[in-house]
Amino acid sequence: MRWLRFTVDQTSSWGIVEDDRVIAVDGDPFGEWRRAARTHPLADVRIELPLVPRTFYCVGLNYLKHLKEAADKRGEVPNVPDRPEVGYRAQNALIAHDENVIIPATATEQIHYEGELVVVIGKKAKHLSERDAMDCVFGYTIGNDVSERSWQKADRGLWRSKNTDTFKPMGPWIETSVDLDKMETIVRLNGQESNRFHTNDMIFGIREFIVEMTKYFTLWPGDVIWMAQHQGGRRGRDRDHRHRHAAQQVRCREVA
């Protein structure tokens, strides 16, 4: 099932995407809901953020190829993590499908983009085991992790390199029926493929992260976990360009 947040005639609602139409829903997927009589062509609705997370979690270097690539650039031996490591991002950076990523005038040309699987939590969870960790997952969406690399090197934290307004496009919808082992993440810029990788080819999988996270804090419905990328994204060339590749060119798809 594909859950979509959308706006029609200045009214926002949840909906279910079926083929090229959106069926409006009364209620929301994290509680009680029912299909309404209202339907709309998908092309006629404004797609909103799938959700604004209560907590915006993220994963660092979680693909071996990406880790080796980063180490090679520094002339170092890869330091493969021995346990899941979790960070945070800011809600203000989130934008919806087909909205522009706006690069500040003070940024350099070192703008990178990375397509990432996003895990959406569906119910309250604490102290989960490997056996039941995936029970709290509602579904998945896609995110574009935009970074300004010179700021990332210069600053002690990631406060502006990762969290500048519009630096985290997410969506368009939440997919609940996913076979991760058959999924590929495909990154495109202006229609040209720049990266493709098996989405589930992670150092630590979703299950391991949820087990580790719920040892220490509670996950809540609507929390999201961005799961990192296989290798670094390409660099932007024009710092004043308003990049539209965020939602248009970065997407996940399942393959047989």
Side-chain angles (χ1 to χ4, degrees):
M1 185 176 290
R2 288 179 172 173
W3 283 92
L4 179 77
R5 283 286 296 171
F6 70 95
T7 297
V8 171
D9 296 329
Q10 299 183 332
T11 299
S12 297
S13 173
W14 282 98
I16 298 170
V17 178
E18 293 185 352
D19 299 321
D20 61 351
R21 298 195 67 82
V22 181
I23 303 168
V25 165
D26 293 328
D28 70 79
F30 303 105
E32 295 184 357
W33 61 274
R34 63 179 179 85
R35 294 183 182 227
R38 308 179 304 279
T39 67
H40 309 277
L42 180 59
D44 291 349
V45 307
R46 174 180 173 179
I47 297 176
E48 307 288 355
L49 268 171
L51 74 168
V52 177
R54 173 179 175 139
T55 308
F56 184 171
Y57 299 104
C58 65
V59 171
L61 296 171
N62 195 35
Y63 289 85
L64 189 58
K65 186 174 181 179
H66 191 180
L67 190 150
K68 288 180 176 178
E69 180 188 68
D72 288 346
K73 288 180 179 179
R74 298 190 301 266
E76 300 174 355
V77 176
N79 182 15
V80 180
D82 59 0
R83 67 183 187 279
E85 294 283 352
V86 181
Y88 298 86
R89 295 290 177 263
Q91 294 178 349
N92 64 276
L94 291 166
I95 56 173
H97 176 76
D98 208 25
E99 293 185 357
N100 288 340
V101 174
I102 301 175
I103 309 301
T106 56
T108 70
E109 294 182 355
Q110 296 184 50
I111 303 296
H112 286 198
Y113 52 92
E114 299 174 326
E116 301 190 8
L117 178 72
V118 178
V119 180
V120 180
I121 301 301
K123 57 185 179 182
K124 183 179 177 181
K126 184 73 182 289
H127 298 305
L128 297 184
S129 66
E130 289 193 8
R131 180 179 55 82
D132 58 7
M134 299 300 288
D135 292 348
C136 72
V137 174
F138 174 72
Y140 305 88
T141 187
I142 185 78
N144 181 7
D145 181 14
V146 178
S147 306
E148 210 286 14
R149 296 302 190 191
S150 72
W151 293 347
Q152 188 169 339
K153 293 178 182 178
D155 299 341
R156 291 189 178 184
L158 302 174
W159 66 277
R160 57 175 175 162
S161 64
K162 294 283 190 178
N163 296 315
T164 292
D165 287 348
T166 77
F167 269 25
K168 295 292 174 282
M170 185 172 68
W173 46 61
I174 303 169
E175 180 73 65
T176 62
S177 300
V178 167
D179 186 341
L180 291 172
D181 291 328
K182 293 183 177 180
M183 179 179 282
E184 285 186 321
T185 301
I186 302 169
V187 181
R188 292 191 176 97
L189 175 63
N190 298 328
Q192 298 298 312
E193 184 175 310
S194 61
N195 196 11
R196 178 190 291 255
F197 58 93
H198 291 291
T199 309
N200 212 25
D201 188 23
M202 304 174 188
I203 297 173
F204 296 103
I206 297 164
R207 186 185 308 274
E208 287 84 359
F209 271 96
I210 290 175
V211 169
E212 187 70 12
M213 293 166 73
T214 59
K215 289 178 183 177
Y216 306 101
F217 43 74
T218 303
L219 295 177
W220 295 88
D223 286 350
V224 298
I225 312 168
W226 288 42
M227 295 302 300
Q229 180 176 277
H230 191 272
Q231 65 185 37
R234 290 171 57 186
R235 182 164 51 187
R237 296 181 179 176
D238 181 355
R239 70 180 183 181
D240 296 322
H241 179 60
R242 292 193 172 199
H243 295 265
R244 294 185 61 84
H245 65 259
Q248 292 179 325
Q249 308 300 336
V250 180
R251 63 185 178 92
C252 283
R253 69 180 178 91
E254 294 182 31
V255 296

